[in-house]
C-alpha cells in the first residue's frame, strides 16, 4: 500500500512486514526517513527525523533562511554534488556550459495502480495474484532543465521494493557522468556488509565486514557483472543471523559493469548506492531524451538472512524469469563437455546418449566443439556451421537420432564471441571489439563482437534463428567466455565512446529479447565461464544459469550456499561430474556429488559410458529419487541451516509452501574421530502435523573399506583380490536406516537425531558412515494431523 499524507508531506510505502517512509522537506528535497519493520500509523513523522537546531560548524548551509539545514546532515533519496553534500552522489552531470552542479526539488507525484514498463531493460513484473502499486515522484532542477523521475514499486507479499530512476533532459545537451539506480541513506551504520565475491571456479563466496567510516565499494569493470563481485549486497545488524534480526538485501537487474557502495560519513550516516558503474561511463543526453537506469530491488527482513533470501527467491521465481518457466520443472540433463571436451564423434555422442537414457536422463546437451574446425579453443567462434567430420548428419540429424533414443536435444553456443581465426573475423574484422591502433589482448584466444552495432545484433539474430529452427532444439546453453579489454567501437563517434559498455549491454538485451520472444519454448541457460554473469538481468531472459565451472561436490557447497543469498535453487545449474575432479583433483564420493547437485538443477557431466556397473546402478537410483522430489528441490522454500564458511558442516533444506514436506541436505567436510553429539536442525514444519523422517537410501562401494571390509561384511575378503574386485563392481552396500516418527513442533524446536556416526570402534548397519566429504539427505513427510 502507498499512502501520501498531505499535511506532513510524507509517503508511506507499506508491505506485509516493512515500512518505507520518505518526506518532502521544506527545502523541497526528498528525504529518506525510515526503512524497517512495518509501522502501522505514522502521525508524528517529524519526531523521527534527525535534525539540527543550530548551525553545525564547517557545514555548507543550504539556504541562509534556515541555518540549521545542511545537505550533508540529511538523509536523502536522491543526491547530487555541489550544494553541500560531500558524500558520493547518486547523480552527476556535466552541463553544456561546463558546470557540474545540480539540485533537485520535488515537483509532483503520482500513485499508479500498476508497474510501468520500460523497453529494452530487464524488469520485475507484477502478476495477476500479486499486483504491484508504484509511486512515481518527479524531481526537478528548474535552473538547468533536468527532471528525474523516481519509481518505487511494491511487491507487498514478499517485502520487496523495486526502484529505478529516469533522467529526462529539457533544454540543452548534457553529459550524464553518474546515474545510480538508487540512493538510500540510513541514520546509522551499525551494520555488517555482506557481499558475494570470488573468481572463476570459486564464485560467490560469502564475505562479511563491519562498516566503518569511509567508502566500501564492490564493482565490476569486466563488462559483465562478473564473479569478482556479484551485483548484490546485504546489510545485517551485528547480531543478526539466519533466523533472527534485521537485514536488508539489494540487487541490481543488470549484466554489465556495476558499482555498489556503502559510505559512512563523519556524522555516521550510511549511504547505499547501487547502479551502473560510473567508472569509464558517460552518456550524452540531448534535449527531449531520457535515460532509464536499470532496476534495483530492495528487501527488508526482521527474521534474519534466510527470510531476506526467501523474499529475493520468490521475486526471481514469480516476477523476474520468463513467465512460461515459472514453476515449471526443469529436465535432468547430460552434458558432454566434461565427458569428451572437443574430442567427440557422432557415434561417441550417441553412445553417451543411450547410456544416459537407460539411467533416466531426459535431455542431451551438445557442448562446445561442434562447428567450424573447432578441435580446441583456438578457432572457429563466429563460424556456426556444423563440422561434418565430427557430425556427418549435421545438427538436425544428430538431434533426430537423440530424439529417437528418447531424449530431448540441447545445444551450446557462444554467439557474442569471435576467434581471429574464423571466417567471420576475416570478413568483418571491424565487428570485433578492438582499438584501431593497438594489438588487441585476447581472452581464451577470442575477441568479443561489438553488440553496440545494430548490424552485429541483426547478424546474430539471423544466424541463431536459422540454427534454432534447423533442428528440434529444446534447450540452449548460451556461453560467454571472456571479459572485455581494448574497448572501442568504430561505430560510435568519439564523444560517445564512454557509452560503450552500457550500449553493449543494451545490444545484448535487445538480441535476447528478440530471440526469447521468437523461441519461447526453448529453455535457455546462461553461462559465462561458469558464473561470471550470474545476475538478475540475465535471469530475466534465461531462467537458469550455469553456476560455476567448478563441479566438485564440496566446492559447490560453498558456491551454492553463497549464491543462495540472492538466487533460488531453480536458477542454479548443478552437475555431477567425474572424480578426481577436474578443478580440484578431489575424490568427492558419488553420493555427495549428487546430494549437493540436487539442491539445484540436476545434470550429469561425465562419460557415463565409462562408469562402472556400480556407478551406473547408483546413478539410476539417484535419478529416480530426484524425479520423485524434483519440484520440491527446484521450487521449494530454501532455508540455510549451517554455514560451511564457518565450520566443518553445511546443512540446508527445501520445504514445501504448506510445510508438509521437506528435504534436508547434511554435508561434512573432514571426518573427525569421536566427534560431538549431533542433531539436525529443521525449520518450517507445521506444528499441527505429525511427520516421518527418513534418510535417502545411499550406497557404498566396498572399496571405501579396503581391507577393513571384513569388519563390515560377514564374509572374509581381502582387498584387491579377484572376488573383492568383482564384488565391489556390483555390490551396492546400503547405508544405515533412519525412520523417525516426529511432531512438527518438535522438529522445528529440536530437530532430529540421526544415527550415530562411525567412530572407529566397529561398524554395524546402525552406524552412519560419513568419512571425508560424506553427506546425507533426509526426507520429512507429513503423515497425519496431530491427535488423529
Ligand atoms: C565454459 C563453460 O562454463 C563450460 O561449461 C563449457 O561450456 C566450456 N565453456 C566450453 O568451451
Amino acid at each position: 500500500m502507498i499512502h501520501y499524507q498531505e499535511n506532513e508531506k510524507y509517503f508511506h510505502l507499506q508491505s506485509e512486514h516493512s515500512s518505507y517512509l520518505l518526506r518532502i522537506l521544506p527545502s523541497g528535497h526528498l528525504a529518506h526517513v525510515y526503512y524497517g519493520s512495518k509501522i502501522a500509523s505514522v502521525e508524528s513523522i517529524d519526531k523521527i527525523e534527525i535534525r539540527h537546531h543550530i548551525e553545525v560548524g564547517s557545514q555548507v548551509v543550504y539556504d541562509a533562511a534556515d541555518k540549521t539545514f545542511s545537505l550533508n546532515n540529511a538523509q536523502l533519496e536522491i543526491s547530487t554534488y555541489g550544494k553541500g553534500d560531500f558524500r558520493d552522489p547518486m547523480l552527476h552531470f556535466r552541463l553544456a556550459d561546463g558546470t557540474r552542479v545540480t539540485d533537485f526539488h520535488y515537483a509532483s507525484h503520482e500513485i499508479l495502480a500498476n508497474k510501468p514498463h520500460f523497453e529494452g531493460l530487464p524488469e520485475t513484473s507484477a502478476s495477476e495474484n500479486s499486483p504491484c502499486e508504484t509511486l512515481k515522484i518527479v524531481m526537478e532542477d528548474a535552473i538547468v532543465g533536468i527532471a528525474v523521475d523516481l519509481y518505487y514499486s511494491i511487491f507487498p507479499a514478499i517485502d520487496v521494493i523495486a526502484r529505478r530512476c529516469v533522467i529526462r533532459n529539457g533544454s540543452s545537451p548534457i553529459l550524464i557522468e553518474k546515474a545510480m539506480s538508487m540512493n538510500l541513506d540510513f541514520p546509522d551504520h551499525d551494520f555488517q556488509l555482506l557481499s558475494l565475491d570470488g573468481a572463476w571456479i570459486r564464485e560467490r563466496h560469502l564475505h562479511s565486514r563491519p562498516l566503518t567510516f569511509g567508502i566500501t565499494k564492490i564493482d565490476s569493470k569486466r563488462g559483465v557483472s562478473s564473479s569478482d563481485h556479484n551485483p548484490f549486497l546485504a546489510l545485517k545488524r551485528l547480531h543478526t543471523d539466519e533466523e533472527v534480526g534485521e537485514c536488508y538485501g539489494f540487487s541490481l537487474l543488470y549484466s554489465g559493469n556495476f558499482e555498489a557502495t556503502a559510505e559512512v560519513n563523519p556524522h555516521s550516516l550510511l549511504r547505499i548506492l547501487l547502479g551502473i558503474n560510473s567508472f569509464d561511463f558517460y552518456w550524452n543526453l540531448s534535449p527531449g531524451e531520457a535515460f532509464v537506469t536499470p532496476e534495483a530491488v530492495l528487501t527488508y527482513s526482521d527474521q534474519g538472512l534466510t527470510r531476506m533470501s526467501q523474499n529475493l527467491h520468490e521475486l526471481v521465481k514469480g516476477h523476474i524469469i520468463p513467465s512460461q518457466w515459472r514453476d515449471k520443472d526443469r529436465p535432468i540433463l547430460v552434458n558432454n563437455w566434461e565427458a569428451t571436451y572437443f574430442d567427440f564423434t557422432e557415434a561417441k555422442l550417441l553412445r553417451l546418449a543411450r547410456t544416459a537414457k537407460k539411467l533416466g536422463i531426459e535431455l542431451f546437451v551438445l557442448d562446445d566443439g561442434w562447428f567450424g574446425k573447432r578441435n580446441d579453443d583456438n578457432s572457429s567462434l563466429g563460424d556456426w556451421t556444423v563440422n561434418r567430420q565430427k557430425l556427418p548428419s549435421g545438427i538436425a540429424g544428430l538431434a533426430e537420432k537423440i530424439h529417437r533414443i528418447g531424449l530431448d536435444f540441447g545445444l551450446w553456443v557462444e554467439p557474442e564471441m569471435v576467434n581471429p581465426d574464423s571466417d567471420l573475423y576475416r570478413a568483418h574484422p571491424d565487428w570485433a571489439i578492438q582499438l584501431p591502433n593497438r594489438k588487441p589482448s585476447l581472452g581464451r584466444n577470442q575477441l568479443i563482437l561489438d553488440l553496440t552495432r545494430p548490424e552485429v545484433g541483426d547478424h546474430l539474430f539471423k544466424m541463431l534463428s536459422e540454427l534454432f529452427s534447423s533442428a528440434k532444439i529444446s534447450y540452449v546453453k548460451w556461453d560467454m567466455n571472456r571479459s572485455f579489454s581494448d574497448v572501442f567501437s568504430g561505430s560510435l563517434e568519439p564523444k560517445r565512446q564512454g557509452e560503450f559498455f552500457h550500449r553493449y549491454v543494451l545490444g545484448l538485451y535487445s538480441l535476447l529479447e528478440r530471440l526469447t520472444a521468437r523461441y519461447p519454448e526453448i529453455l535457455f541457460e546462461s553461462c559465462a565461464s561458469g558464473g561470471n554473469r550470474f545476475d538478475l538481468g540475465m535471469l530475466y531472459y534465461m531462467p537458469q544459469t550455469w553456476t560455476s565451472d567448478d563441479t566438485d561436490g564440496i566446492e559447490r557447497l560453498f558456491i551454492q550456499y553463497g549464491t543462495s543469498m540472492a538466487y533460488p535453487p531453480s536458477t542454479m545449474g548443478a552437475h555431477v561430474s567425474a572424480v578426481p575432479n577436474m578443478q580440484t583433483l578431489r575424490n568427492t564420493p558419488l553420493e555427495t556429488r549428487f546430494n549437493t547437485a540436487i539442491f539445484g538443477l540436476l545434470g550429469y557431466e561425465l562419460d557415463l559410458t565409462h562408469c562402472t556397473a556400480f556407478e551406473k546402478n547408483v546413478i539410476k537410483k539417484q535419478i529416480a529419487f530426484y524425479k520423485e522430489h524434483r519440484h520440491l528441490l527446484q521450487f521449494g522454500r530454501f532455508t540455510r541451516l549451517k554455514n560451511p564458511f564457518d565450520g566443518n558442516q553445511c546443512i540446508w533444506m527445501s520445504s514445501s509452501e504448506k510445510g508438509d514436506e521437506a528435504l534436508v541436505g547434511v554435508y561434512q567436510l573432514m571426518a573427525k574421530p569421536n566427534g560431538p553429539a549431533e542433531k539436525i536442525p529443521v525449520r518450517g514444519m507445521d506444528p499441527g502435523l505429525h511427520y516421518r523422517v527418513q534418510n535417502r537410501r545411499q550406497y557404498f562401494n566396498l572399496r571405501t573399506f579396503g581391507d577393513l571390509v571384513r569388519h563390515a561384511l560377514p564374509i572374509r575378503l581381502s582387498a584387491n583380490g579377484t572376488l573383492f574386485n568383482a564384488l565391489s563392481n556390483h555390490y551396492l552396500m546400503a547405508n544405515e536406516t533412519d525412520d523417525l516418527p516426529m511432531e512438527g513442533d518438535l522438529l522445528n524446536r529440536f530437530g532430529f537425531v540421526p544415527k550415530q556416526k562411525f567412530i572407529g570402534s566397529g561398524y554395524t548397519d546402525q552406524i552412519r558412515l560419513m568419512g571425508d566429504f560424506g553427506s546425507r539427505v533426509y526426507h520429512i513427510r507429513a503423515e497425519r494431523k496431530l491427535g488423529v
Side-chain angles (χ1 to χ4, degrees):
M1 198 190 75
I2 299 172
H3 171 70
Y4 176 59
Q5 212 273 8
E6 178 64 43
N7 284 349
E8 297 288 343
K9 300 212 174 317
Y10 71 83
F11 301 93
H12 189 177
L13 282 57
Q14 265 181 332
S15 66
E16 215 138 281
H17 308 99
S18 75
S19 280
Y20 192 105
L21 288 164
L22 17 152
R23 186 178 188 207
I24 306 160
L25 296 177
S27 63
H29 294 98
L30 187 65
H32 178 80
V33 182
Y34 172 86
Y35 186 26
S37 289
K38 186 170 181 170
I39 297 174
S41 122
V42 200
E43 268 155 34
S44 45
I45 187 162
D46 54 325
K47 305 292 177 304
I48 60 168
E49 252 173 58
I50 295 169
R51 58 168 59 170
H52 293 91
H53 300 282
I54 195 162
E55 183 177 345
V56 180
S58 105
Q59 295 298 357
V60 171
V61 171
Y62 179 72
D63 186 339
D66 178 3
K67 295 215 165 172
T68 66
F69 181 63
S70 126
L71 287 172
N72 207 37
N73 289 319
Q75 281 174 255
L76 301 169
E77 280 290 304
I78 165 173
S79 61
T80 56
Y81 177 78
K83 295 294 289 174
D85 182 353
F86 301 109
R87 292 163 286 188
D88 268 7
M90 172 184 177
L91 304 168
H92 195 57
F93 305 101
R94 189 169 291 265
L95 306 173
D97 62 1
T99 60
R100 280 105 50 225
V101 176
T102 50
D103 185 21
F104 290 91
H105 296 105
Y106 170 86
S108 64
H109 77 267
E110 269 178 278
I111 296 174
L112 312 166
N114 50 21
K115 184 165 190 293
H117 161 69
F118 292 93
E119 207 64 38
L121 279 167
E123 61 188 3
T124 56
S125 59
S127 62
E128 222 167 79
N129 38 18
S130 178
C132 197
E133 263 186 305
T134 301
L135 169 65
K136 175 183 174 187
I137 303 179
V138 180
M139 303 291 293
E140 265 175 17
D141 182 334
I143 294 174
V144 299
I146 306 174
V148 176
D149 303 334
L150 301 175
Y151 288 90
Y152 302 81
S153 299
I154 312 184
F155 295 86
I158 51 173
D159 299 314
V160 168
I161 299 175
R163 284 186 63 174
R164 70 158 28 118
C165 81
V166 176
I167 299 159
R168 290 183 286 116
N169 190 18
S171 40
S172 340
I174 60 169
L175 201 61
I176 303 173
E177 293 193 328
K178 186 174 186 188
M180 294 290 104
S181 299
M182 59 159 277
N183 179 127
L184 179 52
D185 287 355
F186 288 92
D188 72 277
H189 73 275
D190 296 332
F191 289 109
Q192 284 190 321
L193 184 142
L194 268 52
S195 57
L196 303 175
D197 324 286
W200 175 65
I201 62 174
R202 188 170 37 78
E203 294 92 340
R204 290 173 300 288
H205 278 216
L206 181 62
H207 297 110
S208 79
R209 71 216 82 162
L211 281 179
T212 186
F213 297 94
I215 298 177
T216 308
K217 176 174 176 179
I218 57 167
D219 79 341
S220 168
K221 301 184 193 75
R222 287 179 177 268
V224 287
S225 50
S226 99
S227 50
D228 296 5
H229 308 282
N230 196 261
F232 159 83
L233 61 85
L235 295 177
K236 74 172 192 76
R237 294 289 176 193
L238 303 190
H239 300 296
T240 295
D241 61 19
E242 286 289 350
E243 296 181 85
V244 177
E246 279 199 310
C247 56
Y248 302 81
F250 307 90
S251 256
L252 192 66
L253 280 79
Y254 194 60
S255 311
N257 290 343
F258 77 94
E259 75 179 81
T261 57
E263 176 170 6
V264 182
N265 85 349
H267 305 285
S268 288
L269 297 178
L270 165 64
R271 171 166 294 170
I272 301 292
L273 297 175
L274 180 59
I276 294 176
N277 201 337
S278 55
F279 173 80
D280 204 28
F281 164 87
Y282 54 76
W283 193 270
N284 296 272
L285 203 64
S286 301
E289 282 184 345
F291 181 83
V292 181
T293 64
E295 200 167 57
V297 289
L298 297 64
T299 188
Y300 168 78
S301 154
D302 58 6
Q303 292 170 50
L305 293 166
T306 290
R307 174 56 66 86
M308 173 201 78
S309 298
Q310 287 170 350
N311 291 344
L312 292 172
H313 292 183
E314 292 308 313
L315 182 78
V316 174
K317 290 192 281 183
H319 305 280
I320 291 184
I321 65 159
S323 54
Q324 70 273 28
W325 297 107
R326 291 181 189 164
D327 235 22
K328 181 142 191 221
D329 287 0
R330 312 291 165 73
I332 303 167
L333 63 83
V334 60
N335 179 305
N336 77 309
W337 177 243
E338 285 195 35
T340 66
Y341 299 101
F342 295 103
D343 181 18
F344 57 82
T345 58
E346 185 182 272
K348 201 168 177 178
L349 297 179
L350 292 175
R351 273 200 301 279
L352 179 59
R354 271 185 225 107
T355 312
K357 173 68 188 169
K358 281 191 202 132
L359 301 180
I361 287 172
E362 299 156 331
L363 166 70
F364 179 91
V365 179
L366 174 58
D367 211 281
D368 196 355
W370 57 265
F371 51 93
K373 54 179 172 103
R374 191 156 165 97
N375 295 316
D376 53 37
D377 60 16
N378 282 307
S379 81
S380 304
L381 290 172
D383 300 343
W384 299 99
T385 41
V386 70
N387 177 337
R388 293 265 167 192
Q389 270 161 4
K390 285 183 184 175
L391 302 176
S393 37
I395 291 296
L398 175 67
E400 193 52 52
K401 289 177 190 175
I402 296 281
H403 273 100
R404 260 186 260 135
I405 289 171
L407 298 176
D408 284 337
F409 179 74
L411 192 62
W412 176 98
V413 288
E414 195 182 354
E416 294 161 74
M417 298 292 155
V418 64
N419 284 116
D421 182 6
S422 68
D423 292 340
L424 183 72
Y425 182 80
R426 284 180 281 273
H428 297 285
D430 51 328
W431 283 10
I433 297 169
Q434 53 186 323
L435 292 148
N437 52 356
R438 277 180 209 277
K439 194 165 154 224
S441 299
L442 302 181
R444 210 193 185 201
N445 310 307
Q446 61 202 52
L447 294 167
I448 307 176
L449 287 171
D450 182 358
L451 273 172
T452 72
R453 290 172 180 263
E455 67 271 29
V456 173
D458 289 345
H459 164 78
L460 291 179
F461 179 69
K462 183 167 175 291
M463 179 278 290
L464 290 166
S465 300
E466 281 164 13
L467 179 63
F468 297 162
S469 299
S470 72
K472 277 203 251 168
I473 296 172
S474 58
Y475 163 104
V476 165
K477 178 175 171 188
W478 182 293
D479 207 346
M480 199 285 184
N481 284 307
R482 68 158 291 184
S483 301
F484 288 65
S485 69
D486 302 277
V487 163
F488 172 80
S489 174
S491 73
L492 295 176
E493 48 186 322
K495 72 167 196 175
R496 293 199 181 270
Q497 291 296 329
E499 299 174 9
F500 177 88
F501 278 115
H502 185 53
R503 283 191 183 276
Y504 181 91
V505 176
L506 294 179
L508 172 66
Y509 287 159
S510 148
L511 174 61
L512 298 182
E513 184 77 53
R514 286 197 279 170
L515 278 170
T516 52
R518 177 142 184 200
Y519 297 97
E521 69 291 352
I522 293 184
L523 173 61
F524 284 90
E525 176 159 330
S526 135
C527 168
S529 305
N532 204 33
R533 198 164 59 181
F534 199 132
D535 57 62
L536 297 178
M538 292 309 285
L539 285 170
Y540 174 75
Y541 301 100
M542 306 189 179
Q544 54 191 66
T545 305
W546 180 224
T547 312
S548 172
D549 274 352
D550 196 328
T551 50
D552 174 52
I554 292 302
E555 291 308 309
R556 273 300 189 104
L557 291 176
F558 295 90
I559 294 170
Q560 291 174 208
Y561 193 94
T563 307
S564 79
M565 280 288 150
Y567 307 93
S570 60
T571 60
M572 299 184 214
H575 298 175
V576 172
S577 64
V579 289
N581 177 265
M582 186 207 168
Q583 296 83 13
T584 58
L585 280 185
R586 186 176 286 140
N587 280 290
T588 303
L590 178 56
E591 295 286 32
T592 293
R593 283 176 265 157
F594 172 76
N595 288 344
T596 304
I598 59 174
F599 286 88
L601 304 168
L602 178 67
Y604 286 79
E605 189 159 337
L606 72 169
D607 192 345
L608 295 166
T609 64
H610 285 173
C611 286
T612 63
F614 172 87
E615 288 168 330
K616 283 186 199 157
N617 279 328
V618 170
I619 291 174
K620 200 169 177 176
K621 289 177 191 298
Q622 292 179 338
I623 290 173
F625 179 86
Y626 189 75
K627 283 182 179 167
E628 199 183 323
H629 302 288
R630 172 181 357 217
H631 199 74
L632 181 59
L633 287 162
Q634 295 184 348
F635 296 98
R637 187 173 50 200
F638 189 77
T639 303
R640 292 177 297 266
L641 297 165
K642 201 138 224 185
N643 183 346
F645 292 98
D646 285 348
N648 196 38
Q649 245 192 346
C650 172
I651 306 181
W652 54 38
M653 68 183 282
S654 194
S655 53
S656 65
E657 211 177 309
K658 285 192 283 175
D660 59 349
E661 198 183 6
L663 283 160
V664 184
V666 179
Y667 312 82
Q668 98 173 356
L669 304 183
M670 304 310 289
K672 303 275 180 218
N674 205 1
E678 257 185 86
K679 71 180 175 73
I680 312 287
V682 173
R683 295 290 180 266
M685 299 293 99
D686 183 339
L689 293 177
H690 200 278
Y691 293 84
R692 190 153 216 120
V693 182
Q694 291 172 314
N695 57 348
R696 179 175 87 80
R697 185 58 63 242
Q698 292 182 196
Y699 299 95
F700 298 104
N701 191 299
L702 292 182
R703 288 183 205 284
T704 315
F705 297 92
D707 255 347
L708 294 173
V709 73
R710 65 191 65 176
H711 300 288
L713 285 185
I715 45 172
R716 286 193 77 77
L717 277 179
S718 93
N720 291 327
T722 325
L723 183 57
F724 181 88
N725 283 335
L727 259 183
S728 64
N729 200 14
H730 293 281
Y731 182 66
L732 272 61
M733 186 173 159
N735 61 346
E736 79 288 354
T737 306
D738 280 303
D739 192 354
L740 309 167
M742 286 182 77
E743 300 85 8
D745 211 14
L746 199 58
L747 280 169
N748 288 338
R749 289 173 201 281
F750 182 83
F752 64 89
V753 180
K755 285 270 156 65
Q756 189 206 324
K757 216 189 266 178
F758 178 75
I759 57 164
S761 52
Y763 178 77
T764 74
D765 60 1
Q766 297 298 304
I767 296 295
R768 186 164 44 108
L769 258 186
M770 292 283 271
D772 289 349
F773 318 129
S775 63
R776 288 292 183 276
V777 168
Y778 297 89
H779 182 218
I780 306 178
R781 177 174 42 90
E783 287 198 314
R784 57 183 162 84
K785 285 200 172 135
L786 271 193
V788 176

